[in-house]
């Protein structure tokens, strides 16, 4: 039995609970939305979902630490759950179905914290993706009804599909020229945004994707799933994992070329 199967099962239970809470308020006319200090929106559903996940983790894994977007860090030790209750809040509050709950488990090892479990659940799309270290990445309705994920075999940039979030972030980071050069070199570009491009890299329908500014909770679950599907996940400077404040994900074959465009400011 793979080492983290019990944690993966728990992550699915947490995602089920979050899905029920977020879907209950999706498109609600009386949904309460506030603006955080960083000028991004947060809804009552974001807060409720994170509170729900934290409560269940407190009962099921009381010794584990938790890091979440809405309520920060709690606890310490070698195991830490990383939560984004609604990735794509701007979509959520406008009634766009492209949003998801992201749940990851990170375990401290000799090389630092490593993502070992990741679940991305997008209930308004009817989709869920997950992975555990050494056991591959999957998509489906449940653990017992799933299809294994594999990244694409596209090896030439001119044949590649590139997904991104927006133009403004690249300009703010001083990386717009490299970004535009990359779009001109690819076969196809689309601005899907948020969690979705990473899941499409994992399932082989997109070959490369990147975002210029992110937090750990935006990336932790995506990182595990992309890697277990056979791809690579790094910062724009090539640092492995979800720690660099930005992200580049690929099928592996195109990763160095991707970084050569976006890693230069």
């Amino acid at each position: 039995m793979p080492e983290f199967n019990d944690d993966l099962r728990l992550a699915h239970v947490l995602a089920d609970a979050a899905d029920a809470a977020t879907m209950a308020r999706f498109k609600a006319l009386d949904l309460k939305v506030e603006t955080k200090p960083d000028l991004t929106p947060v809804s009552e559903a974001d807060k409720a979902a994170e509170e729900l996940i934290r409560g269940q983790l407190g009962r099921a894994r009381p010794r584990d630490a938790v890091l979440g977007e809405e309520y920060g860090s709690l606890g310490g030790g070698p195991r830490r759950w990383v939560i984004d209750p609604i990735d794509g809040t701007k979509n959520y509050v406008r009634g766009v179905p492209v949003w998801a709950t992201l749940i990851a488990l990170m375990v401290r090892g000799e090389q630092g914290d490593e993502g070992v479990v990741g679940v991305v659940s997008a209930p308004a799309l009817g989709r869920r993706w997950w992975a555990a270290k050494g056991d591959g990445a999957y998509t489906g309705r449940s653990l017992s009804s799933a299809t294994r994920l594999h990244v694409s075999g596209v090896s030439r940039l001119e044949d590649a599909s590139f997904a991104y979030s927006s133009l403004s972030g690249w300009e703010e980071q001083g990386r717009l020229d490299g970004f535009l050069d990359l779009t001109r070199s690819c076969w196809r570009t689309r601005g899907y945004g948020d969690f979705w491009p990473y899941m499409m890299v994992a399932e082989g329908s997109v070959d490369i994707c990147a975002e210029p500014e992110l937090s750990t909770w935006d990336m932790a679950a995506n990182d595990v799933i992309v890697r277990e599907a056979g791809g690579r996940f790094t910062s724009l400077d090539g640092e492995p994992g979800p720690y660099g404040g930005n992200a580049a994900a690929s099928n592996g074959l195109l990763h160095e070329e991707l970084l050569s465009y976006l890693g230069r400011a």
Side-chain angles (χ1 to χ4, degrees):
M1 178 183 293
E3 184 179 358
F4 299 102
N5 260 8
D6 287 345
D7 294 307
L8 179 60
R9 290 193 190 98
L10 174 59
H12 276 275
V13 171
L14 299 174
D16 288 343
D19 285 355
T22 52
M23 285 301 292
R25 298 299 291 156
F26 184 48
K27 296 186 178 180
L29 297 178
D30 60 343
L31 181 72
K32 296 177 182 176
V33 182
E34 303 171 4
T35 300
K36 294 191 286 189
D38 64 0
L39 302 182
T40 61
V42 58
S43 74
E44 62 182 83
D46 292 79
K47 295 180 177 180
E50 185 167 326
E51 288 170 351
L52 192 62
I53 293 170
R54 284 175 177 269
Q56 293 199 13
L57 283 173
R59 293 186 291 274
R61 298 288 190 274
R63 296 182 179 179
D64 292 356
V66 181
L67 171 66
E69 178 175 10
E70 307 309 334
Y71 294 105
S73 184
L74 176 67
R79 290 168 47 98
R80 179 175 62 163
W81 294 86
V82 182
I83 305 159
D84 189 343
I86 298 180
D87 183 52
T89 299
K90 291 177 182 177
N91 283 345
Y92 184 89
V93 302
R94 288 296 303 270
V96 177
V98 184
W99 49 271
T101 295
L102 279 52
I103 301 169
L105 172 63
M106 309 193 79
V107 174
R108 190 169 305 150
E110 294 181 359
Q111 305 300 319
D113 288 354
E114 178 189 12
V116 296
V117 168
V119 172
V120 172
S121 191
L125 294 176
R127 297 293 309 275
R128 184 176 291 184
W129 302 261
W130 65 88
K133 182 181 178 180
D135 196 36
Y138 298 84
T139 185
R141 294 288 184 178
S142 67
L143 283 166
S144 60
S145 176
T147 301
R148 189 157 186 170
L149 301 178
H150 297 281
V151 296
S152 75
V154 173
S155 60
R156 300 195 315 163
L157 199 60
E158 55 264 39
D159 298 326
S161 179
F162 169 46
Y164 61 93
S165 52
S166 68
L167 292 177
S168 59
W170 297 103
E171 188 170 24
E172 291 165 5
Q173 295 290 316
R175 301 179 190 263
L176 184 60
D177 288 344
F179 171 84
L180 292 175
D181 287 344
L182 175 60
T183 64
R184 297 182 186 110
S185 300
C186 292
W187 165 66
R188 189 170 191 257
T189 60
R190 286 293 183 272
Y192 299 107
D194 300 309
F195 68 95
W196 208 5
Y198 304 97
M199 299 304 98
M200 287 189 279
V201 167
E203 59 191 23
S205 53
V206 163
D207 309 300
I208 55 176
C209 70
E211 289 185 89
E213 187 173 10
L214 294 167
S215 298
T216 304
W217 48 75
D218 297 312
M219 299 183 278
N222 299 335
D223 166 47
V224 183
I225 295 169
V226 168
R227 287 189 290 106
E228 285 295 322
R232 283 185 65 186
F233 191 107
T234 72
S235 71
L236 296 176
D237 296 323
E239 177 187 1
Y243 307 109
N246 46 49
S250 77
N251 62 6
L253 300 172
L254 297 167
H255 205 81
E256 293 304 322
E257 204 165 359
L258 170 63
L259 296 181
S260 73
Y261 281 91
L262 298 182
R264 64 175 188 260

